[in-house]
Amino acid sequence: MGSKKERKVIIIDQNDKNPWWWLLNKGFGALFLCISLFALLVRLAVSLHPYSGAGNPPKFGDFEAQRHWMEITTNLPVKEWYHNSTANDLSYWGLDYPPLTAYQSYVHGIFLKSFLPESVSLFTSRGHESYLGKLLMRWTVLSSDILVFLPAVFYFALSYSASRPRRHQSDVAWLVAMILLNPCLIVIDHGHFQFVLTHQVYVIFQFNCISLGLTIGAVAAIISSRELVACALFTLALSHKQMSAYFAPAFFSHLLGRCLKRRNPFLEVSKLALVVIGTFAVVWWPYLHSKEAFLEVLARLAPFERGIYEDYVANFWCTTSILIKWKKLFDNQSLRLISLVATVSTCLPSMVQQIKDPSNKGFLYALLNSSFSFYLFSFQVHEKSILLPLLPASLLALEEPLVFRWLTHFGLFSMFPLLCRDRLVLAYIALLSLFYLLFYAPRKKDSGKIRSFITFKLLVMSLLVFCSFVLHVVYMVMNPPKRYPFLFEAIIMSVCFSQFVWLALYTNTKQWLLHKQPTSLEKDKKLR
């Protein structure tokens, strides 16, 4: 009798590990649909704010950049999209993202052209801000969320649930809500770069959802042991936005570690390499006919001429420039080399751990640690780049809820000066409040980590949150000293940088400790 019961339990566990069985029997599909609809409504609500560059000639702003790319791609041959000419003046919002972004602009441009040709006509459409044109642009943003980001999150939720059958449905629903309703992603993709929805109201777009969605799909494929699919999806992410390279060390080391554990490592590596090279070749094909054309595109992707930093970003170079004047001490070429060495050195321990002992959970930590290294030490980091560490942090939200919460809080805070300039304070407050309401929403099985952490660290955390609140108020209501006009930005930057460093040290340590006390689930998942 005992052996029969054991066999029955094993059968149930095997069914639980099937994502489609989990979907049908747990009723997750309807739950995901409800969360997705709410997330879309929040995006629409956030869009009711002013946008960067509206009615501000001669270059208007980031909205005009996206519209101009649609103008260029729909009116010029593909080989001229990155080439400076009289028809394509690269000094006026020239394309500076990889070819997949250009193809996306072409598809969206065709959509605009079919309804409103003057919105993408060559030369004469510059600064176009008609109501219908902006409304059509808005639909390109929402369609990107619906067609790429939402399905990718759904795929990840299914893969994650199948790999952790003991997780309750409410936990997975909470995880999906944390990913889809992350305030940083919404305020950047649907608040910072916007356009008019009605005659008085404004909306935004940036299309980070496409590259991040492709990356989430690749992560889900890794968890589902579909390495070839993961390679193809991540290569597409790299071919859409070069910032996806923040995750490249984690993907490389994890997949290499998997291959080295198998009988024929060379064959396994070769298969993955062929998929990567093949996918790159398909996407980059129009620019592979000559070395000059290929280098022309690469030159647009690396803004080395801008210097190691521009605005007040909470990374190492910008924060330490308060005391060390990097731009005066070193030339641009030397800073590029120093930045490269610092970035590689800090993400190397995480890579070594995954090559030695690859695991799904370790891979998620490696994604976070790799993106932290790039954000903190790489060349020419933008404020919005905090979205990249936030992505793996949100995927790890059930494992590290407070790391996710802390990074979200200070990641959003690090962008506060930028969002203030774009008059998005109300959206900022609303999204942060919604995030905390959802984060502390009751679940059937609340995490014991949250309670224990609050019990022992409440004083320190409360003090830091209070300081951030005071800095919010000070920045909005006080004027800085005339001698130090950027004093408040520098203080906000320094506070956020200190928290990012602390989190990076913690998550790197946590990744290396994974193999010392593996859970039974990780033992089952460990590759042979």
Side-chain angles (χ1 to χ4, degrees):
M1 282 293 283
S3 61
K4 287 182 181 179
K5 286 182 180 178
E6 280 185 318
R7 282 195 294 271
K8 187 176 180 181
V9 169
I10 292 171
I11 291 171
I12 291 173
D13 285 343
Q14 288 172 346
N15 283 335
D16 266 352
K17 291 178 183 179
N18 184 326
W20 300 109
W21 182 94
W22 200 91
L23 171 66
L24 294 172
N25 288 271
K26 301 280 186 175
F28 180 68
L31 197 58
F32 181 86
L33 181 61
C34 291
I35 298 171
S36 300
L37 288 173
F38 180 67
L40 290 174
L41 287 173
V42 171
R43 282 159 168 77
L44 285 170
V46 170
S47 66
L48 308 179
H49 292 84
Y51 67 94
S52 176
N56 186 22
K59 296 188 74 172
F60 296 93
D62 296 276
F63 166 77
E64 170 63 10
Q66 298 285 350
R67 189 216 56 77
H68 179 64
W69 295 346
M70 297 178 194
E71 169 196 341
I72 292 299
T73 54
T74 52
N75 288 285
L76 297 179
V78 63
K79 291 180 181 179
E80 295 184 27
W81 290 353
Y82 293 89
H83 180 69
N84 192 51
S85 64
T86 54
N88 184 21
D89 181 6
L90 294 182
S91 65
Y92 183 82
W93 297 122
L95 265 166
D96 54 5
Y97 286 111
L100 194 58
T101 288
Y103 304 149
Q104 164 225 310
S105 297
Y106 174 76
V107 172
H108 289 157
I110 293 296
F111 171 71
L112 263 69
K113 199 171 187 177
S114 62
F115 289 95
L116 192 66
E118 60 267 30
S119 66
V120 289
S121 60
L122 195 61
F123 299 127
T124 58
S125 64
R126 290 193 177 186
H128 184 91
E129 291 183 326
S130 72
Y131 165 70
L132 180 58
K134 294 171 184 179
L135 185 61
L136 292 172
M137 289 278 279
R138 179 58 187 163
W139 284 108
T140 65
V141 188
L142 287 176
S143 65
S144 300
D145 265 319
I146 293 168
L147 295 175
V148 181
F149 193 71
L150 294 181
V153 174
F154 184 67
Y155 181 25
F156 174 79
L158 290 182
S159 303
Y160 183 90
S161 303
S163 67
R164 290 164 174 77
R166 294 179 181 84
R167 285 288 185 189
H168 193 268
Q169 180 176 298
S170 63
D171 287 335
V172 181
W174 179 84
L175 176 63
V176 169
M178 291 298 100
I179 300 171
L180 293 183
L181 291 159
N182 187 285
C184 296
L185 176 60
I186 294 174
V187 80
I188 287 296
D189 256 21
H190 297 268
H192 173 51
F193 305 100
Q194 340 175 34
F195 48 92
V196 178
L197 178 61
T198 69
H199 296 289
Q200 294 83 23
V201 184
Y202 300 86
V203 217
I204 118 173
F205 83 143
Q206 227 321 22
F207 300 111
N208 289 298
C209 58
I210 295 178
S211 58
L212 294 179
L214 290 168
T215 301
I216 292 175
V219 172
I222 291 281
I223 293 175
S224 303
S225 298
R226 294 178 173 87
E227 291 96 339
L228 298 180
V229 175
C231 284
L233 289 173
F234 184 63
T235 303
L236 290 175
L238 278 172
S239 298
H240 185 263
K241 288 204 171 182
Q242 60 267 41
M243 287 87 74
S244 299
Y246 282 36
F247 304 123
F251 275 94
F252 173 80
S253 57
H254 178 78
L255 290 171
L256 178 61
R258 282 190 172 197
C259 292
L260 294 177
K261 299 281 183 183
R262 292 171 180 164
R263 290 185 179 180
N264 195 335
F266 180 76
L267 177 62
E268 298 296 331
V269 171
S270 299
K271 289 192 295 186
L272 299 180
L274 284 174
V275 172
V276 172
I277 294 170
T279 307
F280 264 123
V282 170
V283 176
W284 288 71
W285 185 254
Y287 307 101
L288 297 179
H289 64 280
S290 73
K291 181 181 178 181
E292 182 184 358
F294 180 70
L295 292 178
E296 217 168 32
V297 179
L298 287 185
R300 296 295 303 161
L301 307 184
F304 291 129
E305 71 283 354
R306 298 179 188 174
I308 196 165
Y309 63 85
E310 279 182 291
D311 212 341
Y312 280 86
V313 183
N315 75 342
F316 175 80
W317 307 112
C318 196
T319 305
T320 57
S321 67
I322 298 172
L323 300 175
I324 306 171
K325 304 305 177 185
W326 298 103
K327 292 182 179 180
K328 292 182 179 179
L329 289 173
F330 302 97
D331 59 25
N332 223 22
Q333 187 173 356
S334 299
L335 286 174
R336 282 154 55 181
L337 180 60
I338 295 170
S339 172
L340 176 64
V341 171
T343 305
V344 172
S345 301
T346 51
C347 70
L348 197 58
S350 175
M351 293 178 66
V352 170
Q353 191 276 332
Q354 276 303 282
I355 293 172
K356 289 178 58 179
D357 188 27
S359 65
N360 288 338
K361 190 174 180 180
F363 171 58
L364 293 178
Y365 277 99
L367 288 170
L368 179 54
N369 293 326
S370 171
S371 53
F372 261 140
S373 295
F374 275 80
Y375 180 84
L376 293 173
F377 296 103
S378 65
F379 199 94
Q380 189 54 227
V381 174
H382 192 279
E383 295 100 318
K384 69 182 180 184
S385 297
I386 195 61
L387 292 176
L388 294 145
L390 267 169
L391 178 67
S394 63
L395 303 182
L396 272 167
L398 282 172
E399 307 291 339
E400 297 285 354
L402 287 168
V403 167
F404 170 61
R405 194 201 81 178
W406 212 239
L407 182 56
T408 300
H409 180 93
F410 284 97
L412 195 59
F413 184 36
S414 71
M415 296 187 289
F416 184 66
L418 172 70
L419 300 174
C420 277
R421 291 197 294 269
D422 291 333
R423 294 173 291 165
L424 290 166
V425 175
L426 182 60
Y428 178 97
I429 295 171
L431 283 171
L432 188 59
S433 301
L434 177 63
F435 169 75
Y436 274 103
L437 284 172
L438 291 173
F439 184 86
Y440 288 109
R443 289 178 279 151
K444 187 167 184 179
K445 294 172 72 176
D446 285 326
S447 173
K449 295 179 184 178
I450 294 177
R451 289 193 297 270
S452 62
F453 193 86
I454 287 178
T455 301
F456 292 108
K457 309 294 181 182
L458 179 60
L459 183 60
V460 175
M461 291 180 66
S462 299
L463 180 61
L464 285 167
V465 170
F466 177 74
C467 287
S468 69
F469 173 75
V470 170
L471 285 171
H472 280 95
V473 176
V474 167
Y475 187 85
M476 287 189 292
V477 303
M478 291 182 65
N479 294 320
K482 289 184 179 180
R483 188 178 177 183
Y484 304 106
F486 301 107
L487 175 64
F488 298 153
E489 285 91 344
I491 294 173
I492 291 173
M493 173 186 65
S494 301
V495 170
C496 293
F497 171 72
S498 68
Q499 299 310 299
F500 296 156
V501 169
W502 180 85
L503 288 172
L505 290 172
Y506 169 79
T507 53
N508 271 278
T509 304
K510 190 68 180 285
Q511 183 185 337
W512 269 95
L513 293 176
L514 285 176
H515 72 284
K516 292 188 176 181
Q517 292 181 331
T519 63
S520 58
L521 180 60
E522 287 299 311
K523 289 178 181 177
D524 293 338
K525 282 290 175 184
K526 205 167 280 187
L527 295 161
R528 297 174 182 176

